[in-house]
Amino acid sequence: MNRSADSGSTQDGERDSALSEYRRRRDFARTAEPEGAADQGSGEGPLFVVQRHIARREHYDLRLEVDGVLKSWAVPKGPSTDPGDKRLAVPTEDHPLDYAEFEGTIPAGDYGGGTVLVWDTGTYANTTAKKGRRMGMAEGLEHGHVSFELHGEKLTGRFALNRFRSGEKGEEEAWLLVKERDSAAGADDPVSTRPESVRTGRGIREVAEEEGRTLKGRPRDEEE
Ligand code: MN
């Protein structure tokens, strides 16, 4: 029996069930977002991406590769490099790894309809620990605390995510994203100074216009 093939298929099965909500929410005949059929690890360490997303409300989607999928949070104000800023981060469904490259428009009226831009991406190192004991990302997420060092173009250094509302009793689960104190803390605020895509250099308006759509994903020749 081939152990590695066996564990591989188990992982595929877990990934497929983790992505069922992602797939249920989308019609892949309409949106150019990836289906996540054949995810491969980057090989250089786990991926992170922050995507700026103009939807019903503008927000930044923070995604961290954990166990073959992108764990995801919507951060309305985007990340801050100031350790004094606590940024609300609301969990959203797991996304496939190849979503990290997605930049473009989602048709208005579809789930997440609007424009997406790859605002920052790179790899990260898990620095989560509890009482001096190192902890895996999945375990840390279960416990409601992870810390990680980002190696991006705009974001570098350590950040933490802390759950402050469990999501039980019908309330919305909520976390806070905060910069930890290190040499990268307090840098220029990249949300305001560097709005462009790190993938294509485009601004958000260019992404939409080049696909003949408005920022909210409507065809440009239709009345707004
Ligand atoms: Mn989003």
Side-chain angles (χ1 to χ4, degrees):
M1 180 162 158
N2 184 327
R3 291 180 69 92
S4 61
D6 191 45
S7 73
S9 64
T10 302
Q11 211 172 46
D12 285 352
E14 283 169 9
R15 195 198 65 221
D16 277 338
S17 86
L19 293 177
S20 60
E21 186 180 352
Y22 172 86
R23 292 183 178 128
R24 183 176 58 73
R25 288 174 178 272
R26 290 170 176 78
D27 177 354
F28 295 104
R30 289 177 50 83
T31 180
E33 296 167 289
E35 288 183 64
D39 286 341
Q40 297 289 327
S42 62
E44 298 163 19
L47 284 172
F48 89 92
V49 65
V50 177
Q51 283 156 317
R52 185 178 173 198
H53 186 184
I54 312 286
R56 263 183 313 177
R57 287 192 185 164
E58 174 173 358
H59 58 273
Y60 291 75
D61 289 297
L62 167 66
R63 311 189 197 280
L64 299 169
E65 177 182 352
V66 179
D67 296 342
V69 296
L70 294 172
K71 292 289 175 189
S72 299
W73 293 260
V75 183
K77 291 186 176 174
S80 172
T81 59
D82 179 347
D85 288 340
K86 292 181 169 66
R87 295 286 160 90
L88 176 67
V90 177
T92 57
E93 77 275 17
D94 296 346
H95 280 50
L97 293 187
D98 46 3
Y99 204 93
E101 305 219 330
F102 178 72
E103 180 166 296
T105 61
I106 300 164
D110 284 30
Y111 177 67
T115 308
V116 176
L117 169 151
V118 179
W119 184 77
D120 199 15
T121 189
T123 60
Y124 77 90
N126 174 23
T127 55
T128 308
K130 192 178 184 183
K131 292 176 181 162
R133 183 176 73 86
R134 306 282 279 200
M135 198 178 265
M137 286 293 283
E139 189 185 0
L141 291 173
E142 229 170 87
H143 283 81
H145 167 76
V146 288
S147 67
F148 46 90
E149 185 177 280
L150 297 180
H151 306 287
E153 289 186 33
K154 298 174 185 172
L155 299 176
T156 57
R158 290 194 326 272
F159 286 77
L161 274 167
N162 297 302
R163 185 168 55 211
F164 70 95
R165 224 162 50 202
S166 68
E168 286 159 14
K169 299 175 199 154
E171 61 186 10
E172 187 179 51
E173 183 181 334
W175 297 60
L176 291 173
L177 173 67
V178 60
K179 180 77 190 74
E180 297 193 327
R181 292 183 190 282
D182 60 18
S183 61
D188 255 15
D189 172 31
V191 164
S192 54
T193 62
R194 301 188 60 189
E196 79 287 353
S197 164
V198 295
R199 215 192 117 194
T200 61
R202 294 182 295 178
I204 193 92
R205 218 162 264 286
E206 278 178 271
V207 172
E209 285 174 5
E210 285 177 18
E211 296 191 4
R213 289 185 182 270
T214 68
L215 281 178
K216 298 280 179 95
R218 292 191 183 84
R220 284 179 62 78
D221 50 16
E222 250 179 39
E223 289 294 320
E224 283 272 64

